[in-house]
Amino acid sequence: MARYGLNPPDAVVRALDDPAHETPKPGDPLFARSSFALASRPADVFIRAQAAVRAAGYECILLGTNLEGEARDIAARHAELARSLRGQRRRAVILSGGELTVMVRGKGRGGPNQEYALALAMELAGMADVAALAADTDGTDGGAGSADDPAGATIDGRTVARAKALGLDPAAFLDHNNSTGFFEALKDLLLPGPTFTNVNDFRAIVVDSPS
């Protein structure tokens, strides 16, 4: 306040000058009976996931645990990698974590993981032997805090064909940021309910070699 020349009421000055309002510092007796434990880090989740992928006989490709960017743009890049792997007849799982973003253009429902999944489904439409999952580990991707909020969605190479068979236009749903409505119609939402933890977002694309 002194730096910016502010002139607060006396009650504010007295409150700020009161030592009882000071933030406790390291070594304060207040912490004598306190402790904490770090249960899990984002990297720990993916160490376990990589081990599970390899145990299942797949090559594991970890793109990072803290990816950022527009969900549909990241989906396009990941789809390009999946196509390349399949073209090389490699059996692989592409893993990634990190919080993506959504540029809201419409008035639909959905979070970044569902939008990523919808954009990915469009990029991989018709491709056999490919499937993916994208979800928020807190169980509420783009939700409003309700117990029935979706955590994310699953897709495969038939997702777009199934949607069109129901008269749904995936591009229109994407344009309106209505990924929840899209996957709800297909019954492909992940609905675990709130997990009461938030380690990281989790995305996995399974690529099998063509038969």
Side-chain angles (χ1 to χ4, degrees):
M1 289 187 294
R3 183 188 310 162
Y4 293 103
L6 303 179
N7 187 24
D10 289 342
V12 172
V13 173
R14 288 196 300 273
L16 292 174
D17 283 342
D18 187 342
H21 295 161
E22 183 57 51
T23 305
K25 300 299 186 292
D28 192 298
L30 181 70
F31 299 128
R33 298 173 61 187
S34 311
S35 65
F36 76 92
L38 187 61
S40 184
R41 303 167 300 163
D44 297 329
V45 172
F46 284 92
I47 288 170
R48 296 291 185 90
Q50 289 178 86
V53 166
R54 291 174 181 133
Y58 287 85
E59 175 185 356
C60 186
I61 299 173
L62 177 61
L63 300 180
T65 62
N66 58 352
L67 298 189
E68 297 179 346
E70 180 72 17
R72 61 182 71 186
D73 295 339
I74 299 296
R77 284 159 44 190
H78 291 184
E80 183 177 0
L81 175 57
R83 285 191 293 269
S84 174
L85 291 169
R86 189 172 182 276
Q88 298 171 52
R89 297 181 175 270
R90 291 161 67 182
R91 298 180 75 244
V93 177
I94 304 166
L95 298 177
S96 66
E99 302 267 346
L100 305 183
T101 54
V102 172
M103 178 66 71
V104 178
R105 302 169 175 85
K107 297 181 179 180
R109 297 175 297 144
N113 288 294
Q114 295 169 79
E115 179 133 336
Y116 168 94
L118 175 51
L120 188 69
M122 293 170 62
E123 292 282 348
L124 298 178
M127 186 178 295
D129 306 316
V130 176
L133 173 153
D136 194 328
T137 55
D138 67 2
T140 56
D141 177 56
S146 300
D148 59 352
D149 285 338
T154 59
I155 67 103
D156 61 26
R158 299 167 296 169
T159 296
V160 168
R162 288 170 52 223
K164 291 183 176 179
L166 294 174
L168 306 177
D169 180 0
F173 279 87
L174 188 62
D175 286 344
H176 289 92
N177 302 113
N178 193 16
S179 50
T180 297
F182 179 82
F183 289 114
E184 196 170 46
L186 292 176
K187 298 182 172 25
D188 287 342
L189 287 172
L190 290 174
L191 299 166
T195 63
F196 304 107
T197 186
N198 192 9
V199 181
N200 203 342
D201 282 7
F202 181 86
R203 293 173 294 274
I205 305 173
V206 180
V207 181
D208 267 319
S209 59
S211 55

